[in-house]
């Protein structure tokens, strides 16, 4: 492979455009090669094979890559078997979210595995639910011994591949079922051949999660029944159904008989057909789709320098792209800039010395300025005229509403009301005037403020009209 092609792949991997995920599973090794789009990841290659010699892991991995992968690999993420991890889902009140790190540390110490300083552990909020007006968070805690983590990272480091993230297998599988339409929760049970994954999901995330080793059939049945029954007793969310993958019909019927909740063979549903086609790559495919919400362990300190290299390279590429964009913009606008400078010098200089193009430009600018002034003046004039025209019609309606035995003393014009004062010879004339005003469509309301009799036996009135 030539140097130019290696450099291209090196750049694409460090920029995160191409992403490679390895999974070590028993005597098998699986690889997923993904291309990252703005809207997500797309697998472009899935490869599986066997480890030649587990006692010489570096040699086995290198032989597998040489035989099956035709691109240079510099960076990768790693999925390790679940038996190396302790995975535990704990419930934390949402009000204690600010203290969640301390709670996680206490939880890991309570697992009783090893001294906490010998562990690498991380956590992720994977769901929530409400119970008695209080919100609780479901938090997944995942822990692994540092020496195991470093051992696998060193296998890849010795053949020139830097591991930038490690995740436990199977945990991400449950995320696949978040789009399952349901009014409550759905239980998912997946037979992974060497382990059983059990989870309960709702629209708010993962509510319960557990991974158990593959043991006796009856023991597995009891585990599943207990797992579902304990959730039902909580009564936090209605459990709608149980989706069971890669079990036989008799086993599913036994679960249904004991729990009396709808049990469905999930792999028979068309929407999950892809799981049958890619069963061996289920962990990798689910990791690629949902790694944003997965538990990913921090790489030990001695392996972290590559993260700095990634950040530096991405910053350099970003700076280079912005610089090139700036140069292209400058070159594309160069002629316009030169023209602007020519006109600017001509305007600032003596009018007699202006070249014809600059003179023509200045005349156009001056004409445009005058047109804008005239437009502003005309708009202002018509706006004032329109307002006066409005009040002309209003006053016309008022005068046309007067009965012949009624006359006005004065009319006060406000923005939204008129105050009308006048005299009527008798009650009948006054009421006819009020009735005429009320029938005019532009008047929304006619209100009589006062009516009283004068010394001359006339009615003196004051009326308010809303426009």
């Amino acid at each position: 492979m030539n140097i130019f092609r290696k450099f291209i792949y090196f750049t694409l991997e460090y920029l995160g455009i191409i992403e490679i995920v390895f999974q070590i599973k028993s005597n098998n090794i699986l690889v997923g090669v993904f291309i990252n789009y703005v809207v997500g990841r797309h697998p472009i290659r899935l490869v599986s094979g066997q480890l030649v010699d587990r006692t010489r892991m570096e040699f086995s991995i290198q032989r597998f890559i040489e035989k099956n992968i035709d691109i240079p690999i510099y960076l990768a993420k790693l999925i390790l078997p679940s038996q190396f991890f302790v995975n535990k889902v704990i419930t934390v009140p949402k009000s204690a979210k600010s203290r969640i790190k301390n709670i996680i540390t206490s939880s890991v110490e309570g697992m009783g595995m090893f001294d906490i300083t010998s562990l690498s552990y991380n956590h992720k909020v994977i769901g929530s639910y409400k119970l008695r007006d209080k919100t609780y968070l479901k938090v997944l805690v995942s822990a692994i011994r540092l020496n195991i983590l470093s051992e696998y990272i060193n296998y890849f480091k010795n053949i020139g591949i830097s591991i930038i993230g490690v995740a436990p297998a199977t945990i991400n599988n449950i995320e696949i079922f978040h789009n399952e339409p349901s009014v409550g929760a759905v239980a998912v049970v997946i037979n992974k051949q060497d382990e059983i994954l059990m989870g309960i999901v709702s629209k708010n995330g993962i509510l319960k999660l557990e991974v158990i080793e593959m043991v006796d059939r009856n023991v597995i049945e009891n585990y599943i029944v207990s797992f579902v029954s304990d959730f039902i007793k909580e009564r936090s969310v209605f459990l709608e159904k149980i989706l069971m993958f890669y079990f036989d019909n008799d086993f599913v019927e036994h679960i249904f008989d004991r729990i009396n909740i709808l049990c469905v063979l999930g792999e028979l549903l068309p929407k999950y057909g892809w799981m049958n086609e890619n069963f061996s790559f289920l962990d990798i495919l689910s990791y690629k789709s949902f790694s944003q919400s997965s538990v990913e362990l921090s790489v030990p300190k001695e392996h972290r320098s590559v993260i700095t290299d990634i950040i530096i390279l991405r910053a350099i590429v970003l700076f280079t792209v912005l610089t090139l964009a700036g140069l292209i913009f400058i070159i594309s606008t160069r002629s316009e800039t030169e023209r602007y400078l020519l006109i600017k010098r001509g305007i600032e200089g003596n009018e007699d010395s202006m070249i014809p193009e600059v003179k023509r430009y200045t005349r156009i600018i001056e004409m445009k300025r005058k047109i804008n002034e005239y437009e502003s003046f005309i708009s202002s004039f018509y706006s004032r005229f329109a307002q006066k025209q409005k009040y002309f019609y209003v006053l016309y309606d008022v005068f046309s509403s007067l009965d012949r035995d009624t006359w006005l003393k004065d009319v006060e014009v406000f923005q939204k009301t008129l105050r009308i004062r006048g005299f009527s010879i008798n009650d009948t004339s006054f009421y006819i005037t009020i009735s005429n005003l009320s029938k005019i469509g532009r008047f929304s309301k006619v209100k009589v403020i006062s009516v009283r009799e004068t010394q001359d036996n006339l009615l003196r009135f004051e009326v308010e009209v809303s426009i």
Side-chain angles (χ1 to χ4, degrees), residues 387 390-391 394 412-419 442-445 464-467:
Q387 191 72 2
K390 169 187 173 184
Y391 288 122
V394 169
E412 283 188 275
V413 180
F414 301 98
Q415 187 173 2
K416 293 186 178 181
T417 60
L418 298 176
R419 188 66 63 92
R442 72 175 72 250
F443 298 154
S444 60
K445 185 177 180 182
E464 185 179 88
V465 177
S466 299
I467 302 174

Side-chain angles (χ1 to χ4, degrees), residues 9 12-14 16-20 33-36 44 71:
Y9 277 104
L12 292 176
E13 290 177 28
Y14 269 72
I17 298 172
I18 287 181
E19 188 172 3
I20 298 156
V33 181
F34 304 96
I35 184 166
N36 284 331
I44 55 177
I71 64 172

Side-chain angles (χ1 to χ4, degrees), residues 291-325:
S291 60
Q292 294 299 319
S293 56
S294 68
V295 174
E296 196 168 300
L297 298 176
S298 299
V299 176
K301 291 181 180 179
E302 62 270 20
H303 302 287
R304 286 184 190 168
S305 60
V306 68
I307 304 296
T308 304
D309 297 338
I310 292 173
I311 294 172
I312 292 173
L313 179 61
R314 290 180 180 179
I316 292 172
V317 170
L318 179 62
F319 176 77
T320 304
V321 170
L322 292 176
T323 302
L324 289 174

